[in-house]
Amino acid sequence: MNTVIAVTLVFVGCCSNVVFLELLVRDFPGCGNIVTFAQFAFIALEGFIFETNFGRKKPAIPIRYHNYMIMVTMFFTVSVINNYALNFNIAMPLHMIFRSGSLIANMILGIIILKKRYSASKYLSIVLVSLGIFICTFMSAKQVSVEKGATEEEGVYAFLHWLLGIGMLTFALLMSARMGIFQETLYKQYGKHSKEALFYNHCLPLPGFLLLSTNIYNHAVLFSQSTPVEVPVIGQPVPIMWVYLLMNVITQYVCIRGVFILTTECTSLTVTLVVTLRKFLSLIISILYFQNPFTPWHWVGTAVVFLGTLLYTEVWSSIRTAIKGEKLEKKAE
């Protein structure tokens, strides 16, 4: 029962979150900082109440410079850059596909830092994911030049602006993989404390948003000037962008809780499958509902990315093993 609830939370929460994020970014492409701040503040408040019992519960992992502070700094940087990259002509579908390349970053850093070695199928899957992302990125680059280039000079500027966004996503991808490795070593030393880590990763970076306070304030003013809509619960008109932001924050929390429950109830293979399917559904929603440009080559690239992801998680071999097991059980009967 818990598994069904978790899968429902992941699909409903994560897919809805993408919709509300795109509604925000469509009108205000540079609103990534206020969105990130709102998400961090909400999860930090929830964790302060329910996880730390209003600060009375001591952390299982000591809050020292070489422990939480490094992880928190990396998490804050990755979160801010990922959302702010949408301000650089990065279409939401490309944003989602690019972030699916975490497997590449994890493997590369795993080889360099942890000296890991992988099977041939793993290397093949990474080649497929890399190829798929390259196809989608290359086709998006052509669209940026065509759509934005009223003149040659403006076309070059638009392309360079877009290229900076791609650079930001690449950096965030590598930083996220490095954070995962650091988190893994931390959990080996102190044990796995996911809820605690979720709270401190969102609470401790809050002072860092002071560096972005001007941008956050400016977008808060812009949000307040958006078209008001009647909210049934309070019976008062509220600027629609604030409604979108609130729904984005709530659905982000639902998504995170769903993934957390899933990791405690299911195998890592099941979690990967559910998350991969959720990403694909979010992509379809973004393309169809928001009519984002998506050429046949984009579909080819997307298919190759998801094929590589499924190959990496050894889904096919697991399915074959399960089928063989069922046949053996029937013969035994």
Side-chain angles (χ1 to χ4, degrees), residues 27 62 70 84 88 97 102 121 132 136 184 196 255 260 288 320:
D27 290 336
I70 297 174
Y84 196 66
F88 291 82
I97 293 167
S102 55
S121 64
C136 291
E184 189 179 321
E196 179 185 293
C255 177
F260 176 78
L288 297 182
R320 282 198 300 269

Side-chain angles (χ1 to χ4, degrees), residues 124-162:
L124 176 60
S125 68
I126 294 308
V127 170
L128 289 173
V129 172
S130 303
L131 178 62
I133 291 175
F134 174 78
I135 292 171
C136 291
T137 306
F138 182 75
M139 296 311 297
S140 295
K142 291 176 69 175
Q143 287 178 338
V144 168
S145 300
V146 171
E147 291 175 7
K148 302 294 181 181
T151 64
E152 187 177 343
E153 186 178 340
E154 288 174 351
V156 171
Y157 173 79
F159 179 74
L160 292 175
H161 194 65
W162 174 85

Side-chain angles (χ1 to χ4, degrees), residues 169-323:
L169 287 178
T170 304
F171 175 79
L173 206 61
L174 293 169
M175 178 72 80
S176 180
R178 182 64 185 92
M179 182 182 71
I181 292 172
F182 183 82
Q183 202 168 18
E184 189 179 321
T185 55
L186 204 61
Y187 285 163
K188 282 181 182 177
Q189 185 177 357
Y190 295 100
K192 204 168 186 177
H193 304 278
S194 302
K195 285 185 180 179
E196 179 185 293
L198 183 67
F199 166 68
Y200 284 108
N201 276 343
H202 286 82
C203 179
L204 295 180
L206 287 176
F209 284 101
L210 289 172
L211 300 172
L212 310 170
S213 57
T214 303
N215 181 273
I216 292 171
Y217 174 77
N218 290 339
H219 279 89
V221 172
L222 291 172
F223 280 17
S224 298
Q225 294 171 352
S226 61
T227 307
V229 291
E230 192 78 21
V231 179
V233 180
I234 61 175
Q236 294 290 329
V238 177
I240 194 167
M241 298 307 290
W242 286 113
V243 176
Y244 290 158
L245 181 62
L246 176 63
M247 293 306 298
N248 175 268
V249 168
I250 292 172
T251 52
Q252 170 79 355
Y253 175 74
V254 170
C255 177
I256 289 173
R257 294 301 297 171
V259 173
F260 176 78
I261 296 170
L262 205 61
T263 54
T264 58
E265 295 289 330
C266 305
T267 62
S268 58
L269 176 63
T270 304
V271 174
T272 306
L273 269 177
V274 171
V275 172
T276 302
L277 289 172
R278 191 280 302 170
K279 286 180 179 178
F280 187 73
L281 183 59
S282 296
L283 185 65
I284 298 298
I285 292 171
S286 177
I287 295 164
L288 297 182
Y289 185 78
F290 292 99
Q291 297 182 341
N292 283 307
F294 216 71
T295 66
W297 278 108
H298 280 99
W299 283 113
V300 170
T302 303
V304 173
V305 168
F306 283 107
L307 178 63
T309 302
L310 293 175
L311 181 63
Y312 185 89
T313 55
E314 298 177 349
V315 172
W316 316 119
S317 59
S318 299
I319 292 172
R320 282 198 300 269
T321 303
I323 292 171

